[in-house]
Amino acid sequence: MNAAASVEEFAPAKVNLSLKVLGRRSDGYHQLESLVVFARAGDRLTAHAAADLSLDISGAFGAMLAGEGDNLVLRAGRLLASELGREAGAHLLLEKNLPVASGIGGGSADAAATLRALKRLWDADVSEEQLAALALSLGADVPVCLDARPAFMHGRGEQIARLEALPHFALLLVNPGVEVSTACVFKTLAAPIVAELPTASEAPRFSTLDALIGWLEANGNDLEGPAREIAPVIGEVIAAIGATRGCRLARMSGSGATCFGIYASEDEARGAADAIARPGWWLAAA
């Protein structure tokens, strides 16, 4: 098979429906457990054949990354090239539609999309296990973004159980235009050190939306409290979402500040977006 001249990959937002922090490990990472889904809102990465590795960024949030001399996309490209023993040649175009530092894995999704795109562009003979190892070296959230399907994550992100199916529902994503540092959120949480790593819980199963909502009500996001201390507007966003018609659950994703609402239909999610839209807030019904 010949290498492609150009390929495109979608990098969907990663939403932590739940996020439990089990403790801080001796290696400095946190032991986590999280139910993750991917929204039909995200960035888009295009890779063109080229002699050298380069990156151009566009999109609503592209300017926020324009000043970076390096980022996860370029690091992913160089890492895969090194693994393959080849020159890192590709012209990458990133359409940045997701807010930066917003708790929905935009950078991780972009890095995963880069690995997928360059594997196709270069017609690379690299296994899924190799890609997963490369992804983990780039960041804890990158491996789950390689295959954008619902998953139950454990550990620092390396233990991933894909879920066969979830009940149909729609999401409303809302970011108030505030960046929240993940490191600061974990520092505020001050999770205790775990001497022995706990065994991964069994991946949950849900036959109905009611069952999913019930499980989520019992399994929250441990980072929401610390994030609200840093950025109190998060509480305002959650309250606004929760007050919309049809909202089944309102919560923060990841380390914030993006929050989400769960609805039975996309029409309800779009109606909620119209109801709470305000200047400076980013909203996406998906």
Side-chain angles (χ1 to χ4, degrees):
M1 183 185 297
N2 295 324
S6 177
V7 299
E8 185 177 289
E9 286 284 344
F10 183 55
K14 174 191 66 68
V15 181
N16 298 91
L17 297 185
S18 70
L19 202 168
K20 183 181 297 184
V21 181
L22 304 176
R24 186 158 45 93
R25 299 158 28 148
S26 59
D27 59 8
Y29 291 100
H30 284 79
Q31 190 77 357
L32 308 176
E33 198 165 81
S34 181
L35 178 61
V36 172
V37 296
F38 293 86
R40 292 196 194 109
D43 299 334
R44 196 165 295 278
L45 185 119
T46 307
H48 300 281
D52 302 310
L53 186 66
S54 61
L55 172 65
D56 286 329
I57 306 175
S58 63
F61 296 95
M64 299 181 71
L65 300 178
E68 292 187 344
D70 192 18
N71 61 29
L72 276 176
V73 168
L74 291 172
R75 285 163 55 193
R78 289 193 294 267
L79 191 64
L80 181 58
S82 176
E83 178 77 8
L84 297 171
R86 59 163 292 156
E87 292 295 321
H91 179 49
L92 304 173
L93 304 173
L94 175 63
E95 183 183 302
K96 190 65 187 168
N97 303 313
L98 298 176
V100 177
S102 60
I104 48 176
S108 297
D110 296 342
T114 302
L115 293 175
R116 295 195 307 268
L118 292 181
K119 177 183 178 181
R120 293 169 54 205
L121 183 76
W122 296 337
D123 189 27
D125 183 15
V126 56
S127 68
E128 296 304 315
E129 291 73 20
Q130 284 177 286
L131 272 188
L134 294 176
L136 186 60
S137 71
L138 290 166
D141 279 341
V142 182
V144 76
C145 294
L146 281 173
D147 182 6
R149 293 183 295 131
F152 192 59
M153 298 171 58
H154 191 83
R156 54 170 288 211
E158 77 281 11
Q159 300 176 50
I160 301 170
R162 297 291 174 183
L163 304 182
E164 292 301 319
L166 286 179
H168 174 79
F169 62 91
L171 287 171
L172 171 62
L173 304 178
V174 184
N175 183 279
V178 174
E179 290 188 36
V180 177
S181 164
T182 299
C184 288
V185 171
F186 275 106
K187 184 177 180 180
T188 302
L189 177 67
I193 294 177
V194 288
E196 187 174 334
L197 297 183
T199 303
S201 301
E202 185 177 350
R205 297 172 181 266
F206 312 104
S207 57
T208 65
L209 181 55
D210 285 342
L212 172 61
I213 296 299
W215 187 89
L216 290 175
E217 287 174 341
N219 294 270
N221 181 347
D222 289 344
L223 299 183
E224 188 175 303
R228 289 173 68 157
E229 288 185 38
I230 296 169
V233 69
I234 291 171
E236 180 185 342
V237 174
I238 293 172
I241 296 172
T244 58
R245 179 179 299 177
C247 181
R248 301 293 306 276
L249 181 84
R251 178 172 291 171
M252 188 187 80
S253 174
S255 57
T258 301
C259 304
F260 65 87
I262 293 180
Y263 302 82
S265 71
E266 291 185 44
D267 285 343
E268 287 181 331
R270 284 191 290 266
D274 292 338
I276 67 173
R278 61 191 68 182
W281 286 20
W282 172 84
L283 300 96

